[in-house]
Amino acid sequence: MKRLAPFAALALAACHTVPAPEASIAPGLDAEAPDSMQWLYGSGEAAGASIQAWRSLADYAVARSRERRVPQSVAMGMGGAVAEPQLCSDGQTIKPLAVVFDVDETVLLNTGYEYWVAATGKSYSRETWKLWEETGASYIRPVPGAVTGLRRLREAGITPVFNTNRQYSPEGAAKAIAAAGLGEAVHRETLFLRGDDGVDSSDKDGRRALIAERYCVIALAGDNLGDFADIFNDDDLPASQRRELAARGDLAQLWGNGWFVLPNPVYGDSLKGTVGEVYPEGTRWSPETAPSAAPAIMNEGN
């Protein structure tokens, strides 16, 4: 025991003098929340952007429901491509109208889970997310505009259908939707989870196909491009090409015209890209390379 005493003293001294790793110190309530969380969960700007998107979506869908013609579906991802709009009738019956929504950060905000992340300094894990799905219903909030938007759709005879990548608890997802004041969701009728199409994947084309068998889908809403088509989920697609795909050609005309995106700077496939990918050649200004003369267009007429 006497021979071990010096080593024990050294160990105690080390424990006393060496500070704990910074990562082990919980940030607490007085710490600054991450910028992206401040914006999405705390800012009036985020609330305004969400309400604006929801109002536009409801206006669009209600107007579509009042058209005096056989309804036509919106273009959407199915089978690894963007399927063309289809008439929603077999000549005798017309499918009921529906709008398909992602859930997390589209119709409801996971405020409780994101608080836990911000206040403890911990990060997402399957284990904690599973527990959140099962128990977090009373700690969520509706996305601003969602309650009114869904009420307007239902009043117009349009069914909200939820297509989420939650996978652990259909009961928990339905409870969360109801707790947010967003109405009833029935698993495999108006609520589809990851795996409901028989594929354990975050891709949603298969579930969109299942929904389209039953409903005339006139609009889609989500916070990630994969909520509209799986073609955006290609891991080999650089950030710049993904942006180009969404902003050019036939797909560009769908934004606000059947496709409605909600803001989410906190997580998701939108958050990727190196400096070189986000800022391609032709955009890389610096004080050292700035031209000394004013652009020619500014000198016109002088």
Side-chain angles (χ1 to χ4, degrees):
M1 291 293 293
K2 290 182 180 178
R3 292 184 63 187
L4 294 175
F7 296 98
L10 285 172
L12 288 172
C15 289
H16 179 71
T17 58
V18 178
E22 186 175 340
S24 68
I25 302 173
L29 294 177
D30 293 331
E32 287 285 313
D35 291 349
S36 58
M37 290 187 184
Q38 288 178 340
W39 193 88
L40 184 60
Y41 302 110
S43 78
E45 288 83 353
S50 294
I51 292 169
Q52 177 176 270
W54 273 96
R55 178 171 288 119
S56 296
L57 184 157
D59 287 348
Y60 172 87
V62 170
R64 289 289 313 278
S65 74
R66 294 173 176 170
E67 293 176 345
R68 296 187 176 183
R69 61 174 182 171
V70 175
Q72 182 174 271
S73 68
V74 69
M76 60 182 152
M78 290 194 293
V82 176
E84 293 295 322
Q86 300 292 322
L87 288 177
C88 295
S89 173
D90 60 7
Q92 296 181 338
T93 61
I94 297 176
K95 296 178 182 178
L97 302 182
V99 175
V100 177
F101 298 91
D102 175 49
V103 171
D104 299 303
E105 276 58 58
T106 296
V107 299
L108 59 82
L109 297 172
N110 291 288
T111 48
Y113 189 83
E114 299 301 338
Y115 151 77
W116 175 78
V117 170
T120 64
K122 298 184 184 298
S123 57
Y124 165 90
S125 70
R126 285 180 176 268
E127 294 74 22
T128 57
W129 182 258
K130 179 177 184 293
L131 187 61
W132 169 251
E133 282 195 25
E134 295 168 345
T135 67
S138 60
Y139 296 90
I140 56 87
R141 294 292 184 271
V143 167
V147 172
T148 299
L150 291 181
R151 174 180 55 77
R152 289 184 61 195
L153 295 183
R154 290 187 173 105
E155 288 175 349
I158 303 167
T159 301
V161 178
F162 305 99
N163 185 7
T164 175
N165 276 330
R166 291 188 176 218
Q167 60 182 313
Y168 300 112
S169 177
E171 298 80 10
K175 286 180 181 178
I177 291 168
L182 304 171
E184 182 184 43
V186 179
H187 188 211
R188 292 195 175 92
E189 292 183 15
T190 56
L191 172 63
F192 292 81
L193 276 65
R194 175 172 176 157
D196 281 348
D197 58 348
V199 179
D200 183 16
S201 169
S202 61
D203 288 349
K204 293 186 173 182
D205 275 6
R207 280 172 270 157
R208 275 185 283 268
L210 288 177
I211 295 167
E213 290 177 0
R214 179 180 299 187
Y215 296 100
C216 179
V217 179
I218 58 174
L220 303 168
D223 64 319
N224 191 291
L225 294 184
D227 296 324
F228 304 92
D230 287 347
I231 58 171
F232 296 110
N233 291 343
D234 185 353
D235 290 335
D236 295 328
L237 193 66
S240 58
Q241 291 183 24
R242 185 172 181 267
R243 181 181 175 94
E244 184 78 10
L245 180 62
R248 296 289 184 272
D250 293 340
L251 300 186
Q253 67 180 342
L254 290 168
W255 300 114
N257 190 33
W259 289 9
F260 297 85
V261 67
L262 277 293
N264 182 2
V266 178
Y267 65 85
D269 292 333
S270 63
L271 306 180
K272 64 179 182 181
T274 64
V275 172
E277 290 172 336
V278 173
Y279 299 99
E281 285 287 348
T283 67
R284 301 170 188 169
W285 178 92
S286 74
E288 293 74 23
T289 60
S292 58
I297 192 170
M298 295 180 64
N299 293 323
E300 287 183 2
N302 294 340

